């Protein structure tokens, strides 16, 4: 699954860390869980191509924080 969060709604909207943009990332993750999604997630972060590891880490932290409650 390739998923991004975006700043804005225009065709050229800039990527942002999951959970900090306009997309309902938490809702998408919850629905994927509800449907029993067993695939892979790919985090592609095109902004700051020379050094985007900090933003990717923040997206992973958001993923783990958001999904830890699904199985409780």
């Amino acid at each position: 699954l390739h998923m991004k969060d975006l700043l804005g709604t225009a065709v050229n909207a800039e990527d942002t860390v999951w959970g900090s943009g306009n997309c309902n990332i938490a809702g998408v993750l919850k629905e994927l869980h509800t449907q029993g999604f067993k695939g892979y997630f790919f985090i592609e972060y095109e902004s700051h191509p020379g050094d985007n590891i900090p933003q990717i880490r923040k997206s992973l932290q958001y993923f783990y924080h958001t999904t830890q409650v699904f199985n409780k």
Side-chain angles (χ1 to χ4, degrees), residues 10 13 18 27-28 31 40 43 54 64 71:
W18 285 5
V28 171
E31 183 60 29
Y40 294 96
I43 298 175
Y64 291 131
N71 291 320

Side-chain angles (χ1 to χ4, degrees), residues 9-51:
T9 57
V11 173
N12 61 348
E14 185 176 333
D15 295 14
T16 191
V17 173
W18 285 5
S20 65
N22 295 341
C23 302
N24 183 5
I25 300 294
V28 171
L29 293 172
K30 179 65 175 167
E31 183 60 29
L32 289 167
H33 174 75
T34 299
Q35 292 187 26
F37 179 77
K38 301 289 185 210
Y40 294 96
F41 286 89
F42 295 90
I43 298 175
E44 180 181 348
Y45 190 84
E46 296 170 356
S47 297
H48 313 288
D51 183 24

